């Protein structure tokens, strides 16, 4: 009696142990034990040998990779919600199914967004460095290390999807006034629940907010959505928080405006040229003008395990000749 051959699944980065163990049980899983990003040639080789590829945000699955004459891939099961690292249109044209892991990281990312919304005006990282870096602390003083309260301030959310709404719920509990810009207004029931004001014009909203939170995905339409022109509309005492994608913001212009005192500051978890971080941003962080985190928005054990479980469900459903629950089509982007 012949044993059915397991499909070859190539996983580009190290995943939680429980997920890797389950993948080995179910598939012929090739795991990246070194947890270093694969090169373009390694990804191309994986596409020529694997039935299923499990990439992450660090892996750029380009048209050149999927259009190789001997590309064997049938499924790209992305370990992540965003699919801007994949040429979905090229994959779709080649007959390769693409899936992602939505609805898993909403709460984790919203928590980190709210943490930055609090950290920047209250100068938390700047204050903590006084104690951890051996700087002199004169003790409590009525006028030392003063920040700003956030209660009563206007928060402008760019992108009112699942994460944007979760941020709004948290922010409202802290007394912030909720404003948002989206491709279209949210349902009236949601707007009423959040006490949210819709702005059809992003320009008009930016000019009136105290805090701006970027929560939209990176697509061709949102690349440099916060352009040089739009960044110059922001008030001098306002600041920006970005836990979405660095490419949404013209980072060079943002730096120049913060350096010149034209924007109050920023809290960033993502960067335009990751993993590289502009040295000027680092200098601004040391000067207390910005708060920088190394793309930690979704970094929870629970979230990563749930992402892996979704990847497995998508693979198994696909291999059982059914439509995966988290299929991504070009028309959805």
């Amino acid at each position: 009696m012949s044993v059915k051959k397991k499909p070859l699944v190539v996983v580009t980065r190290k995943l939680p142990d429980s997920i890797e163990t389950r993948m080995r049980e179910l598939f012929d899983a090739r795991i990246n034990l070194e947890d270093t990003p694969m090169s373009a040639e390694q990804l191309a080789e994986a596409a020529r040998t694997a039935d299923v590829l499990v990439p992450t945000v660090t892996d750029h699955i380009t048209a050149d990779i999927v259009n190789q004459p001997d590309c064997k891939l049938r499924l790209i099961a992305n370990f992540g919600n965003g699919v801007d690292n994949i040429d979905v249109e090229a994959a779709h044209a080649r007959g390769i199914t693409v899936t992602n892991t939505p609805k898993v990281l909403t709460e984790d990312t919203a928590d980190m967004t709210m943490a930055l919304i609090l950290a920047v005006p209250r100068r938390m990282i700047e204050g903590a460095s006084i104690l951890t870096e051996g700087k002199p602390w004169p003790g409590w003083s009525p006028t030392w290390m003063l920040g700003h309260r956030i209660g009563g301030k206007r928060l402008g959310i760019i992108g009112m999807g699942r994460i944007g709404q979760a941020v709004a719920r948290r922010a409202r509990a802290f007394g912030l006034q909720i404003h948002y810009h989206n491709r279209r207004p949210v349902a009236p029931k949601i707007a009423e629940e959040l006490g949210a004001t819709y702005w059809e014009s992003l320009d008009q909203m930016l000019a009136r907010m105290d805090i701006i939170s970027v929560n939209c995905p990176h697509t061709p339409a949102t690349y440099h959505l916060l352009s040089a022109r739009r960044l110059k509309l922001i008030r001098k005492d306002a600041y920006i928080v970005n836990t979405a994608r660095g490419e949404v913001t013209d980072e060079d212009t943002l730096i120049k405006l913060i350096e010149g005192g034209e924007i109050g500051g920023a809290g960033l978890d993502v960067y335009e040229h990751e993993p590289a971080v502009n040295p000027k941003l680092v200098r601004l962080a040391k000067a207390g003008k910005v708060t920088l985190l190394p793309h930690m928005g979704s970094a929870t054990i629970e979230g990563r395990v749930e992402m892996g479980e979704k990847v497995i469900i998508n693979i198994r459903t696909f291999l059982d000749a059914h439509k995966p629950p988290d299929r991504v089509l070009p028309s959805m982007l």
Side-chain angles (χ1 to χ4, degrees):
M1 178 174 149
S2 62
V3 178
K4 187 178 179 181
K5 185 179 178 182
K6 292 181 179 181
L8 175 59
V9 176
V10 172
V11 183
T12 65
R13 298 298 296 268
K14 179 167 177 54
L15 303 183
D17 288 346
S18 61
I19 298 301
E20 290 186 342
T21 300
R22 187 60 177 148
M23 282 191 171
R24 289 183 182 276
E25 292 170 350
L26 294 170
F27 319 118
D28 178 10
R30 191 172 296 169
I31 307 297
N32 181 352
L33 297 177
E34 299 301 320
D35 195 30
T36 55
M38 295 174 69
S39 67
E41 178 50 42
Q42 287 174 319
L43 291 170
E45 172 63 21
R48 294 192 294 268
T49 57
D51 301 290
V52 179
L53 181 65
V54 181
T56 71
V57 67
T58 62
D59 307 302
H60 297 286
I61 314 303
T62 63
D64 288 342
I65 289 176
V66 299
N67 286 330
Q68 297 175 97
D70 50 354
C71 178
K72 188 182 175 184
L73 286 180
R74 293 188 287 148
L75 171 67
I76 300 172
N78 198 46
F79 184 87
N81 183 35
V83 290
D84 50 313
N85 58 309
I86 301 169
D87 192 325
V88 177
E89 189 170 348
H92 184 71
R94 187 65 187 258
I96 302 170
T97 299
V98 177
T99 61
N100 65 343
T101 58
K103 303 178 182 179
V104 172
L105 305 176
T106 299
E107 303 303 321
D108 296 333
T109 306
D111 285 345
M112 190 63 82
T113 304
M114 196 65 221
L116 285 172
I117 289 172
L118 289 165
V120 177
R122 294 303 305 272
R123 304 171 67 180
M124 289 184 186
I125 304 302
E126 186 184 0
S129 70
I130 299 295
L131 302 179
T132 59
E133 297 179 11
K135 299 176 183 177
W137 178 42
W140 183 88
S141 166
T143 58
W144 185 75
M145 198 60 75
L146 298 182
H148 294 277
R149 66 173 54 151
I150 66 167
K153 299 294 193 302
R154 294 186 178 93
L155 171 66
I157 297 173
I158 301 174
M160 198 61 146
R162 288 186 295 269
I163 294 174
Q165 291 175 32
V167 170
R169 291 188 180 94
R170 287 160 174 73
R172 195 178 186 203
F174 280 87
L176 284 153
Q177 299 176 33
I178 309 302
H179 297 252
Y180 73 99
H181 169 78
N182 208 39
R183 285 182 295 179
R184 61 187 65 88
V186 298
K189 183 178 180 181
I190 294 174
E192 182 179 358
E193 173 202 345
L194 300 175
T197 300
Y198 175 65
W199 293 81
E200 184 176 2
S201 167
L202 176 57
D203 289 9
Q204 291 185 16
M205 185 183 81
L206 291 174
R208 293 164 172 82
M209 297 297 110
D210 301 299
I211 307 163
I212 294 148
S213 179
V214 180
N215 299 108
C216 63
H218 172 224
T219 67
T222 63
Y223 175 76
H224 278 196
L225 182 65
L226 288 182
S227 61
R229 180 188 65 79
R230 284 195 168 121
L231 287 169
K232 290 173 184 176
L233 299 173
I234 296 172
R235 293 168 42 187
K236 290 185 177 182
D237 57 350
Y239 66 94
I240 297 172
V241 167
N242 189 355
T243 57
R245 286 290 187 268
E247 294 89 342
V248 177
T249 304
D250 181 338
E251 194 171 273
D252 287 338
T253 299
L254 176 64
I255 291 169
K256 290 176 183 176
L257 292 173
I258 295 174
E259 286 177 332
E262 298 301 310
I263 289 180
L268 306 175
D269 187 44
V270 291
Y271 308 92
E272 188 169 353
H273 304 291
E274 284 188 36
V277 178
N278 193 313
K280 292 180 180 179
L281 277 175
V282 177
R283 286 199 292 271
L284 285 171
K286 290 179 179 179
K289 296 291 186 180
V290 301
T291 296
L292 306 179
L293 295 176
H295 205 143
M296 295 170 58
S298 61
T300 66
I301 295 171
E302 297 85 354
R304 295 288 190 255
V305 170
E306 287 181 29
M307 288 170 70
E309 289 170 347
K310 270 189 172 285
V311 168
I312 291 172
I313 289 170
N314 282 319
I315 296 174
R316 294 191 70 182
T317 306
F318 176 82
L319 295 175
D320 287 341
H322 299 294
K323 290 182 180 179
D326 303 311
R327 188 170 56 149
V328 179
L329 300 173
S331 58
M332 299 164 61
L333 303 177

